[in-house]
Amino acid sequence: SDSAPRATLTNLGQQEVQIYTGGTPASAEASGLSGYVNQVIRTGTYPGFRELNVGLGGPALYNSASLEIGSATPDRRFSYYVGTSLVGQGFRYGDQYNGVGNPLFFYPLAIPSNDGTVYDGSGPAVFAPGASYAIASTTDHESIANFHLGIPHGSAGIKDDVQLLYMSSDILQRFYSSINDLGGPAYVYNAANGGSYLPFFDQYAYNGPLYAAPNPSDGSVALFPNSPQNRAGFTDPLPANLREGSDNGVTLLKLQYQRNIDAKSYIRLLGYTDYSNWFISGPVSAQLIYGAQLPDYEVIGHTYGGDLIYSRQLSEKHLVNLTTSYQTSKLQTYSMGFGSGPVTNWIDAGGVCYSPNTGFQTSCFNNSDTSGMPTEGTIAGITAGQATGLTPAITAPPGTPGLTNNAQWVVTENGQNAQVDNVAPYFSAISLNDQWRPNEKLTVSLGLRVDDFRYRLQDLSSGYPARAFWFAAYNRENCFGPGLVDPVQRSYDAAGNLSQCPTGTTPVQLKNYTGGTTGYTVVQPRLGFTYQLSADNVIRASYGRYARPAPTSYQQYNTFQQDLPSFIATFLNLGYTSPVHDVRPDTSNNYDLSLEHHFKGTDMAFKLTPFYRNTQNQIQYLALNAQGVVAGENVGRQRSYGVEFAFSRGDFAKDGLSFQASLTYTRSRIRYGNFHNGSNIIDLLNTYVKQYNSYTSACASANPNPAVCGLAGAANAQPVFSNNGVPVANPYYGQPPQSLFDRSGEYTTYDLIPAPFNAALGFETPIQTSLILNYKRGKFNVSPSATYSSGSVYGSPLVWPGYDPSSCTATVGATAAADPTTCSSFLFIPDKYTGRFDNLGAFREPTRLTTNVSLGYEISDRVKTNLTLTGLVDHCYQRGQPWDSPTTCIYGQLASNLLAPAGNFAANPPPQLAYPYGSWYNNVEVGQIGQKSPLTAILSVNFKL
């Protein structure tokens, strides 16, 4: 009732279902779910509900409802179909308790580290149990409406057709990511910051003009996106039950007119508009070092397009189709970053930065002191008194360069921080196809398609007043050279003198982009045929060249912050010195051949299909950060080939036994080509191997081989380092150098290229097979099914860290062995468990067998029931690795794409950090986890009106 805000059903074992009878979905979620609560059942967006659907079953809730209506006028000139569906589902992982008792199924909350990255045993590590950040529930709304109107014309009974189609879809995912899911308030607050609460990730902002003198009255507080906006900021605690989410929506509207000229030809004209969105909100992750979700990720697209198609049956042997198409979009991809608030620099008219304390030149990236900025507890915006941190006091002695050159405080950042993409695509295509039937047994398809992919790039200079300043500063202060992964920042001494670039490097020369267009045209021939050998045998074959346009977000990189060069410098090791990347369409040649055979006199048949795909300019992805934002690059030539086999018997709609079985074998390999600077993916991985080698005695000669030792020379090849007078032994000196990976070799394919502690998972799965049986007798049917996978591959050379002995300031014992808690940096060393740097695909995933069963009964002509039991058997057969976990079916890098194992820093680390690999947490695909699934039962009832 409206007067009772909530009714609660309790004492249901490990379930609590809260039914809300008033308020809004937002207020329902704010009321809180904890423990084994499955799902809020929403009953409307206004006080008082009109209908209520409740589903209880199994440890994970599943409910669905759908409605379909269709009809036509007696003369069939007008017809329509309208359908809508709502499905809600909860998930469990590992077991019915979400694997909370498995120490190898975890998520990191706090990992103490004096070096800033690797656990060194200096304090207790804290982990959230079980399926943290896995998908907790999904809600899927689907609606479609399709209308046709026939318009008669002529005397031959021909009519034209007008179609109006509307479709909308929205999939909302919620993750096990609330404070309650991660262990509870006291547990999480202490792990995160030792405090009593976690606030929303609010920010300070500056609303005045940039590259001008600061005005304290222009300061403000920017509240975290997708959070309540009627609050003070900074002090508002995150609700303990607030789960993070991902929402994918699309709405399509199409209008089509088909002019049927005669019985042999027609012209079809259609136009469409399509709105799509992908929103990720991670308010809890934003406050945690290892948070799995992006703080605020928004992709919004408005697409407009049209097709014109002409089709004509030239003769009994030729059917010709000519198609032209055009499509454009208004797109924006926005990914919130972690800014430091407004920034000022004390600079002269030429953009040179000075220290307000000494008056000498200093780095422009040593930003102004913000100690005077408002603290937590601020209710209003930044006041004049609070904003003194924008302009710290100038104490430079008279006559120093900063004063003599009349340096002034200038606002160079307003606090906005995000990666953004506003590239607009303009795609057009024309294709011609002929279906040629020379005789009754042979049909040949001949086609040619030409695609033109154009992109309008954004002007990254206009509207960014401080951007030229940041480019000049970055180029002045940073160096880069062959064999480096990241640029090296130069330093200023006390007198303001800038250090020289290290040997083998030169100052970077990044440049901005002021707008323009780029494009690519691809010609794609296609050929196929079908030949009927006999009534029971058919052979088919096809060849086609197919192009995939590169996504807009990989053509050009931009940020909301003025300091764009610090972001695009990420790509210096790929040879890029500007925000624009020459990412071309990847184009494949596809071949397949199939034999279809029916066993005469039986209801059995099979189909055997070998296939081969060769792709040039294969686009693969590189991680830009640990939260899953990636870049796409043309990295080489990929070959994928294999064979598919399918066998069937009987008809599932008839009484008796019938079945379908399939088996697919696939092999996928890639040979990496060069980037613009002449290096490739394997060269980047070898950089880390060479760094390790530089610490071994093999590089101790006066002129070590750079092909083995990299650019370090003999500086690292010392048996003992003297660090501020402390002798520290080099544990790698007596080890043999590691072999480099073959830069020209073929490698198993990965979705993401491995990076430090990130992306250790391949996607080639050699064998996939499935079997479904069906037995039907009258109104009853039972359908058991089984699937089997041989497992994909995983492995990365960048998973096992070792302390850098040259960075340690103390030792333990009498052997000069380093005290790892005093080491400030690390390098990658061979995997402790294999004795080498693990290659791509070094390990095979567990094989997996899953069985399910579905039982159906037709109560009447209008009522049917179905009981589906999934996960009757779900078993992952381990490979005998030290890190094997009984519930894990997919292994990869450790959780979070950021967490490092203990390596050689700690002799007895917690089990979660003792191994280089663990349960796979896929941040790129938001929340999916490769864990076995417990038994789930779903009962459905279908009513036909």
Side-chain angles (χ1 to χ4, degrees):
S1 66
D2 291 346
S3 61
R6 186 176 73 183
T8 303
L9 304 178
T10 58
N11 300 319
L12 296 177
Q14 293 170 358
Q15 296 190 76
E16 178 185 10
V17 179
Q18 299 178 341
I19 303 175
Y20 294 85
T21 58
T24 66
S27 65
E29 292 181 11
S31 298
L33 296 176
S34 60
Y36 288 97
V37 173
N38 283 317
Q39 181 174 324
V40 176
I41 301 174
R42 298 177 177 175
T43 59
T45 57
Y46 50 86
F49 61 88
R50 293 297 179 265
E51 61 178 309
L52 175 64
N53 296 307
V54 179
L56 299 176
L61 184 65
Y62 177 91
N63 48 45
S64 67
S66 62
L67 176 66
E68 299 175 80
I69 301 173
S71 186
T73 58
D75 59 4
R76 310 293 294 180
R77 291 185 181 178
F78 175 75
S79 63
Y80 71 92
Y81 168 85
V82 177
T84 187
S85 170
L86 171 63
V87 177
Q89 184 170 2
F91 297 91
R92 293 286 186 267
Y93 300 88
D95 54 35
Q96 303 292 12
Y97 305 99
N98 265 347
V100 295
N102 183 353
L104 295 182
F105 188 25
F106 66 93
Y107 206 88
L109 288 179
I111 310 297
S113 172
N114 291 305
D115 62 82
T117 302
V118 186
Y119 172 78
D120 55 19
S122 59
V126 182
F127 303 92
S132 302
Y133 290 106
I135 297 174
S137 63
T138 60
T139 304
D140 184 5
H141 300 253
E142 306 285 342
S143 296
I144 188 170
N146 192 27
F147 303 91
H148 280 273
L149 176 65
I151 304 175
H153 67 86
S155 58
I158 297 175
K159 60 182 179 180
D160 296 339
D161 178 76
V162 177
Q163 180 200 26
L164 178 64
L165 173 68
Y166 169 84
M167 183 275 289
S168 69
S169 170
D170 187 83
I171 300 175
L172 174 65
Q173 298 175 324
R174 295 288 188 188
F175 309 126
Y176 288 113
S177 58
S178 70
I179 294 170
N180 284 340
D181 292 323
L182 298 178
Y187 186 74
V188 175
Y189 299 159
N190 286 325
N193 59 7
S196 59
Y197 72 100
L198 279 184
F200 281 98
F201 188 66
D202 300 323
Q203 301 283 291
Y204 299 110
Y206 183 79
N207 301 322
L210 284 166
Y211 215 64
N215 182 353
S217 63
D218 286 330
S220 67
V221 175
L223 301 179
F224 184 79
N226 197 26
S227 72
Q229 298 295 292
N230 57 342
R231 55 188 180 84
F234 295 103
T235 59
D236 302 274
L238 286 163
N241 66 324
L242 177 64
R243 282 178 172 167
E244 299 173 337
S246 171
D247 180 84
N248 292 87
V250 60
T251 300
L252 172 71
L253 182 65
K254 183 186 84 167
L255 180 62
Q256 174 180 294
Y257 173 70
Q258 179 168 312
R259 174 69 175 182
N260 292 310
I261 301 171
D262 52 39
K264 295 184 177 181
S265 61
Y266 68 82
I267 294 178
R268 179 183 299 158
L269 176 65
L270 64 91
Y272 60 88
T273 177
D274 176 25
Y275 166 82
S276 62
N277 68 265
W278 183 13
F279 299 140
I280 298 175
S281 180
V284 180
S285 293
Q287 292 286 29
L288 302 175
I289 294 175
Y290 298 98
Q293 302 306 329
L294 294 164
D296 180 38
Y297 182 76
E298 304 177 23
V299 180
I300 300 174
H302 292 84
T303 300
Y304 310 91
D307 288 359
L308 179 63
I309 305 166
Y310 174 72
S311 178
R312 181 168 182 80
Q313 185 81 48
L314 296 179
S315 68
E316 294 182 353
K317 298 182 182 296
H318 292 277
L319 173 62
V320 175
N321 288 279
L322 176 64
T323 302
T324 61
S325 63
Y326 179 80
Q327 175 183 303
T328 187
S329 299
K330 293 182 178 180
L331 300 170
Q332 183 178 82
T333 301
Y334 170 94
S335 180
M336 178 182 177
F338 295 88
S340 58
V343 172
T344 60
N345 293 85
W346 196 45
I347 63 177
D348 63 19
V352 175
C353 297
Y354 300 90
S355 166
N357 299 319
T358 69
F360 291 103
Q361 286 192 37
T362 188
S363 171
C364 295
F365 297 89
N366 294 337
N367 300 322
S368 66
D369 176 20
T370 57
S371 58
M373 297 293 282
T375 60
E376 293 182 5
T378 303
I379 296 177
I382 301 174
T383 66
Q386 292 168 328
T388 56
L390 287 172
T391 57
I394 298 172
T395 61
T400 52
L403 294 174
T404 59
N405 290 327
N406 194 31
Q408 302 292 320
W409 284 112
V410 174
V411 180
T412 51
E413 293 286 4
N414 60 13
Q416 289 185 302
N417 189 285
Q419 181 193 353
V420 64
D421 159 40
N422 285 307
V423 174
Y426 296 87
F427 295 166
S428 58
I430 184 169
S431 64
L432 178 65
N433 181 264
D434 180 18
Q435 293 288 338
W436 175 37
R437 189 174 176 84
N439 55 56
E440 292 298 321
K441 292 187 175 183
L442 178 63
T443 300
V444 179
S445 176
L446 297 169
L448 180 67
R449 178 182 175 94
V450 180
D451 276 293
D452 186 66
F453 305 121
R454 299 281 135 188
Y455 302 88
R456 187 183 66 208
L457 306 181
Q458 187 181 6
D459 181 352
L460 306 185
S461 178
S462 301
Y464 297 90
R467 187 151 282 180
F469 158 78
W470 285 114
F471 268 91
Y474 197 93
N475 290 340
R476 182 170 60 243
E477 296 187 31
N478 290 272
C479 308
F480 192 78
L484 292 181
V485 175
D486 301 306
V488 179
Q489 186 173 8
R490 304 162 74 179
S491 60
Y492 287 88
D493 62 19
N497 299 309
L498 187 61
S499 66
Q500 296 297 313
C501 284
T503 303
T505 69
T506 57
V508 299
Q509 296 181 354
L510 299 180
K511 53 185 179 294
N512 202 3
Y513 185 77
T514 57
T517 61
T518 185
Y520 313 90
T521 301
V522 186
V523 178
Q524 304 152 74
R526 283 94 184 263
L527 170 67
F529 74 85
T530 299
Y531 186 74
Q532 186 170 342
L533 298 172
S534 66
D536 296 312
N537 295 282
V538 175
I539 187 170
R540 306 179 194 272
S542 70
Y543 159 76
R545 186 168 177 82
Y546 299 87
R548 176 179 64 161
T552 59
S553 55
Y554 306 148
Q555 297 291 329
Q556 183 186 45
Y557 292 87
N558 190 22
T559 60
F560 269 94
Q561 60 268 30
Q562 302 289 304
D563 182 13
L564 175 62
S566 291
F567 182 86
I568 65 172
T570 306
F571 302 102
L572 276 170
N573 54 25
L574 306 184
Y576 290 108
T577 58
S578 87
V580 178
H581 290 199
D582 180 26
V583 184
R584 301 173 297 282
D586 51 3
T587 306
S588 67
N589 292 304
N590 290 16
Y591 308 83
D592 66 74
L593 175 68
S594 68
L595 172 64
E596 300 174 17
H597 174 72
H598 171 254
F599 292 93
K600 190 173 183 179
T602 72
D603 57 359
M604 294 185 293
F606 75 81
K607 181 178 181 179
L608 181 67
T609 307
F611 59 89
Y612 181 85
R613 176 178 179 262
N614 187 326
T615 305
Q616 302 83 48
N617 294 320
Q618 176 71 42
I619 296 176
Q620 282 199 263
Y621 308 111
L622 298 87
L624 293 183
N625 59 32
Q627 284 74 36
V629 177
V630 299
E633 293 292 331
N634 301 114
V635 296
R637 182 182 295 269
Q638 179 175 315
R639 299 185 304 128
S640 299
Y641 53 91
V643 63
E644 297 177 342
F645 177 76
F647 191 93
S648 64
R649 179 189 185 278
D651 185 344
F652 281 31
K654 297 179 179 179
D655 282 1
L657 178 66
S658 54
F659 67 85
Q660 293 182 357
S662 67
L663 172 69
T664 302
Y665 170 79
T666 305
R667 184 173 175 84
S668 183
R669 290 292 182 270
I670 186 168
R671 191 184 307 276
Y672 292 106
N674 290 340
F675 296 122
H676 293 270
N677 60 359
S679 67
N680 67 10
I681 290 294
I682 303 304
D683 292 327
L684 294 181
L685 299 180
N686 280 334
T687 299
Y688 297 96
V689 181
K690 294 177 183 179
Q691 183 187 25
Y692 169 78
N693 288 344
S694 72
Y695 285 81
T696 68
S697 61
C699 297
S701 64
N703 296 297
N705 183 1
V708 175
C709 306
L711 299 178
N716 294 332
Q718 303 180 37
V720 178
F721 289 91
S722 179
N723 303 329
N724 294 326
V726 178
V728 178
N730 177 0
Y732 319 116
Y733 187 80
Q735 301 299 316
Q738 290 282 311
S739 300
L740 303 182
F741 301 107
D742 182 3
R743 73 179 313 275
S744 301
E746 275 196 326
Y747 293 84
T748 186
T749 45
Y750 273 45
D751 185 26
L752 270 174
I753 300 301
F757 314 120
N758 192 344
L761 182 69
F763 66 79
E764 176 197 72
T765 302
I767 297 177
Q768 295 267 19
T769 183
S770 64
L771 171 67
I772 180 168
L773 303 172
N774 183 73
Y775 177 76
K776 184 177 184 299
R777 184 175 180 85
K779 297 182 178 182
F780 172 78
N781 73 283
V782 56
S783 298
S785 63
T787 60
Y788 172 83
S789 169
S790 64
S792 186
V793 296
Y794 65 102
S796 166
L798 307 182
V799 292
W800 195 249
Y803 62 80
D804 179 353
S806 68
S807 72
C808 309
T809 59
T811 59
V812 293
T815 61
D819 177 359
T821 64
T822 68
C823 304
S824 60
S825 64
F826 69 93
L827 60 150
F828 286 99
I829 64 176
D831 182 348
K832 167 186 174 180
Y833 299 95
T834 64
R836 59 182 179 272
F837 284 91
D838 297 331
N839 202 344
L840 305 183
F843 306 98
R844 180 70 65 184
E845 302 284 6
T847 58
R848 185 172 190 172
L849 175 66
T850 304
T851 64
N852 315 295
V853 68
S854 177
L855 303 116
Y857 186 75
E858 186 176 348
I859 298 175
S860 69
D861 292 342
R862 297 181 179 273
V863 181
K864 296 181 180 180
T865 63
N866 197 79
L867 174 64
T868 301
L869 304 174
T870 64
L872 281 175
V873 173
D874 190 15
H875 193 82
C876 297
Y877 299 88
Q878 304 298 319
R879 300 282 186 172
Q881 302 296 345
W883 47 84
D884 281 356
S885 177
T887 66
T888 296
C889 302
I890 302 180
Y891 294 93
Q893 67 276 6
L894 294 189
S896 86
N897 295 339
L898 187 65
L899 179 65
N904 68 358
F905 278 77
N908 296 296
Q912 293 92 338
L913 301 176
Y915 308 108
Y917 304 102
S919 298
W920 174 62
Y921 288 71
N922 182 7
N923 299 55
V924 176
E925 303 298 336
V926 289
Q928 302 175 28
I929 294 181
Q931 291 286 309
K932 59 186 296 187
S933 301
L935 174 66
T936 300
I938 300 170
L939 176 65
S940 64
V941 182
N942 298 324
F943 301 90
K944 185 177 181 181
L945 302 179

